[in-house]
Amino acid sequence: MFGELVKGLRTTLKYMFRQPVTVQYPEVKRPVRERFRGRHELKRFADGSERCIGCSLCAAACPADAILVIPAENEPDNPRSPGERYAATYEINMLRCIFCGYCEDACPTNAIVLEHQYELSFYDRRASIFTKEMLLVPEDQGHGEPPPVLKQIERRPSPPAQIDL
Amino acid sequence: MDWIALLILIIQCFVIALGVTTAFAYLTLFERRLLARFQNRIGPNRAGPNGFLQPVADAVKLFFKEDVVPSAANRAVYLLAPAMAVIPAIIIWAVIPFGCLDIRGNWQACFEPQATTPLQNILQVAEINIGVLYLLAVTSIGVYGITLAGWASNNKYSMLGGIRSAAHLVSYELALACAVLAVVMTYGTFSTHQIVVAQAGLWGIVPQFLAFVIFMIAATAEVVRLPFDLVEAEQELVGGYNTEYGSMKFALFFMTEYIKLIAVSAIAVIFFMGGWRFPGLYTLGAGVENLAGPMAASIAVGLASLGAFLLKLVAFLFLSVWIRASWPRMRYDRLMDLGWKWLLPLALLNIVYTAVAFVLIPNETLASFVLLALGVLTLVIAMGINRVPKPVDNVTYVKDLKEMG
């Protein structure tokens, strides 16, 4: 009996001289995993143009209906994106978002990526809607060349899509 | 009593009451930080530098919480119970000598068993010749507050907690008192100051090792600390007797518990660890007197003794937190078993040892060491006899039932 008691005391004393495992959160932030799904970012190409071409596939893929995309036609002499259209409005409601990453999978130009920022708190519901300006990365942080299939801007005006059968 | 003496007494009372309350507040911080370290955490370190203002934050929070009286409670007793618990816990401190600071510069009087000039020690509120009896009496009174709180709340968990505390106290009070009695027999005095003075050579732990062990176990049970905190076993009793209490009334119970913890640690220091004494204290006094006169010597001895006392106290508190971090709670029947079948007989045996040793062996130092050897031997034998019983297989199997028809 006595031996067990001493053993218990010795164990706790040993632990006392170990380094605490606590991470002091606001000052020290533990790095997240590479594939962590945090807040979305709208990416750019290396030349600074937006990757998003306003196709709304992300909104269609979203199971929580958190994404709103309103596309607009690019001006030929001042295009925002390499495609025909760009997203005039791009909003994500962070209260609805479930961070599943389906939008990432759906995006044909890899424009939307769930990045590592996870500190998403707000004081009112209105603040939970992240607009395009908040999501878009700065112009000098683009990467990659636009694929040739998007470089059809010279052929404008393009024929309208044959949808009225 | 002239008015200066009265003024000093009032200041002493204020300082000790407030000091003890502050000590309670910082003991909670000490315990939380230390427990955290035992569990590989950091503990509260946000309020103020290194969490130093955490007790203040806790106090503010408790003061501003809503004060609810359950509608089925006995209102008068319910409101009175916290006060009945906390007042004895604070007045324990009246007879505890924190040190020895003679305000008239007569520092040698601290070391004389029979002081020729009456000592004016301002580090002890009341030097009374039945101090030990007072300690035992007052520590026991506190249980009324707890039991009444359990009864007045009109809640089965509180009630069970209250009943357990009463049963608990009756079981352990006897062993505690017997252990203390052996100390009193050793030093031949009931005065706490005289007991400290008498520990000039060997500290009390040497002649009374067995009493020390019994005292530590019984005192831990007395202040319902782990491993004896059956009174507020969260898993069984929600919160025990204070389940229905909130806000500052709960804080008073909390305060009672911690102040009593500090108090029994202080009592253990006084009885077994030489109180405010440490080797070289007298030399320090003599040296300072040669340099700066008797008044400075008195102050130096006073502060040094106070420091030594507080250091020993903190060591005991550390032990208490360490035990809390390490050991699980005892089962209720084992608790009663330990109290009645082991601690009480051992304490009685210790009284016999003490009486026989001091009568048969005239040399006190030799008697002390004989007692130490006897105590250790008795403990070893007791631990050898006390085997934890194997669990009895009293499960009824279905096949047995079938065989029985």
Side-chain angles (χ1 to χ4, degrees):
Chain A
M1 184 188 78
F2 188 66
E4 281 94 332
L5 292 181
V6 173
K7 203 171 164 186
L9 287 176
R10 209 177 51 216
T11 309
T12 44
L13 196 66
K14 204 168 65 196
Y15 273 82
M16 194 186 157
F17 295 105
R18 288 197 187 166
Q19 202 61 29
V21 296
T22 312
V23 177
Q24 305 236 37
Y25 165 61
E27 291 91 31
V28 183
K29 284 176 188 154
R30 222 160 63 163
V32 295
R33 296 280 171 172
E34 192 48 46
R35 297 177 63 185
F36 184 85
R37 295 197 296 257
R39 205 201 80 177
H40 315 66
E41 274 181 8
L42 285 174
K43 299 292 186 186
R44 289 178 188 271
F45 286 115
D47 60 2
S49 59
E50 294 167 14
R51 277 178 173 253
C52 180
I53 52 170
C55 68
S56 301
L57 281 175
C58 47
C62 184
D65 199 8
I67 305 180
L68 170 75
V69 185
I70 299 175
E73 294 287 326
N74 264 326
E75 291 166 38
D77 42 326
N78 185 22
R80 301 277 198 97
S81 70
E84 293 167 24
R85 296 189 293 178
Y86 72 101
T89 305
Y90 196 104
E91 288 176 356
I92 300 178
N93 188 340
M94 290 298 173
L95 281 179
R96 303 203 70 155
C97 181
I98 56 172
F99 301 95
C100 61
Y102 284 8
C103 45
E104 256 179 322
D105 292 351
C107 188
T109 58
N110 290 340
I112 187 162
V113 178
L114 277 85
E115 282 292 355
H116 295 169
Q117 161 74 294
Y118 52 86
E119 286 158 322
L120 296 164
S121 52
F122 12 81
Y123 286 103
D124 54 58
R125 286 162 166 270
R126 191 171 295 277
S128 72
I129 295 170
F130 279 54
T131 57
K132 191 180 171 189
E133 293 75 53
M134 300 156 83
L135 297 170
L136 205 57
V137 297
E139 266 188 54
D140 54 343
Q141 287 181 19
H143 61 91
E145 290 302 313
V149 69
L150 287 177
K151 290 186 173 169
Q152 297 175 355
I153 201 147
E154 306 83 35
R155 285 170 46 198
R156 292 173 61 89
S158 56
Q162 296 293 317
I163 49 169
D164 47 345
L165 295 171
Chain B
M1 186 182 279
D2 60 310
W3 66 271
I4 291 183
L6 191 65
L7 189 68
I8 288 175
L9 192 65
I10 290 170
I11 291 172
Q12 274 178 328
C13 292
F14 263 104
V15 168
I16 287 183
L18 293 179
V20 162
T21 325
T22 316
F24 144 72
Y26 279 93
L27 176 60
T28 58
L29 181 65
F30 176 76
E31 175 162 42
R32 287 171 70 183
R33 289 302 297 265
L34 212 54
L35 268 181
R37 289 313 316 272
F38 280 124
Q39 298 163 354
N40 273 6
R41 296 182 288 118
I42 294 177
N45 65 346
R46 295 280 149 171
N50 255 320
F52 201 69
L53 295 179
Q54 185 66 36
V56 180
D58 289 342
V60 169
K61 176 205 147 198
L62 281 166
F63 267 116
F64 285 102
K65 279 188 97 165
E66 190 187 357
D67 207 358
V68 185
V69 181
S71 56
N74 185 325
R75 200 179 162 83
V77 182
Y78 178 87
L79 294 178
L80 199 62
M84 288 185 69
V86 80
I87 289 171
I90 294 179
I91 62 175
I92 291 172
W93 292 88
V95 295
I96 288 180
F98 291 89
C100 191
L101 203 171
D102 191 290
I103 45 166
R104 286 178 308 194
N106 183 17
W107 61 272
Q108 287 96 340
C110 290
F111 301 96
E112 290 164 13
Q114 302 300 325
T116 43
T117 49
L119 184 67
Q120 289 266 316
N121 183 4
I122 59 162
L123 290 177
Q124 183 180 9
V125 175
E127 155 61 6
I128 50 178
N129 54 6
I130 51 157
V132 176
L133 288 183
Y134 175 87
L135 284 177
L136 288 176
V138 172
T139 46
S140 316
I141 284 178
V143 79
Y144 281 108
I146 291 171
T147 313
L148 284 179
W151 177 78
S153 302
N154 204 351
N155 169 324
K156 59 187 170 188
Y157 297 118
S158 303
M159 186 70 206
L160 278 172
I163 292 172
R164 274 189 181 186
S165 82
H168 213 129
L169 194 93
V170 171
S171 322
Y172 281 83
E173 188 70 23
L174 279 169
L176 186 84
C178 287
V180 171
L181 188 60
V183 176
V184 171
M185 284 166 72
T186 311
Y187 297 114
T189 173
F190 270 116
S191 148
T192 46
H193 175 72
Q194 291 301 330
I195 285 179
V196 175
V197 171
Q199 294 177 47
L202 293 170
W203 285 355
I205 190 170
V206 176
Q208 292 299 336
F209 182 74
L210 189 53
F212 173 70
V213 173
I214 295 165
F215 182 91
M216 287 313 289
I217 297 172
T220 312
E222 180 95 5
V223 294
V224 293
R225 289 280 294 183
L226 264 156
F228 305 105
D229 64 342
L230 269 297
V231 173
E232 42 199 303
E234 287 88 356
Q235 292 84 353
E236 306 154 35
L237 296 180
V238 189
Y241 61 89
N242 54 28
T243 306
E244 295 288 349
Y245 282 85
S247 178
M248 212 49 206
K249 291 203 289 293
F250 167 76
L252 285 181
F253 281 119
F254 205 63
M255 204 157 128
T256 308
E257 217 165 274
Y258 279 84
I259 292 179
K260 274 177 96 174
L261 170 66
I262 310 175
V264 293
S265 304
I267 295 170
V269 169
I270 290 165
F271 288 165
F272 302 105
M273 289 294 166
W276 42 261
R277 278 182 169 283
F278 64 92
L281 187 61
Y282 192 90
T283 327
L284 175 80
V288 176
E289 190 177 24
N290 281 340
L291 285 176
M295 199 60 215
S298 186
I299 291 170
V301 168
L303 293 182
S305 57
L306 179 65
F309 179 80
L310 293 181
L311 207 63
K312 291 173 188 175
L313 194 58
V314 169
F316 269 94
L317 294 177
F318 174 81
L319 182 70
S320 176
V321 175
W322 184 15
I323 286 173
R324 180 177 165 181
S326 311
W327 295 349
R329 181 181 301 129
M330 281 180 90
R331 216 169 64 196
Y332 192 66
D333 59 329
R334 292 266 174 81
L335 179 90
M336 287 295 150
D337 192 272
L338 178 70
W340 290 104
K341 293 189 196 160
W342 295 98
L343 288 188
L344 184 59
L346 282 178
L348 291 173
L349 205 58
N350 186 43
I351 291 178
V352 175
Y353 286 164
T354 311
V356 171
F358 280 107
V359 169
L360 289 187
I361 307 168
N363 182 347
E364 263 192 41
T365 317
L366 185 64
S368 298
F369 280 106
V370 168
L371 274 175
L372 175 66
L374 273 176
V376 173
L377 192 69
T378 314
L379 276 177
V380 169
I381 292 172
M383 273 187 287
I385 302 171
N386 183 18
R387 296 240 171 267
V388 178
K390 288 230 163 60
V392 185
D393 184 15
N394 53 5
V395 182
T396 314
Y397 292 105
V398 176
K399 63 174 168 48
D400 299 340
L401 283 176
K402 277 181 185 158
E403 275 168 23
M404 287 192 316

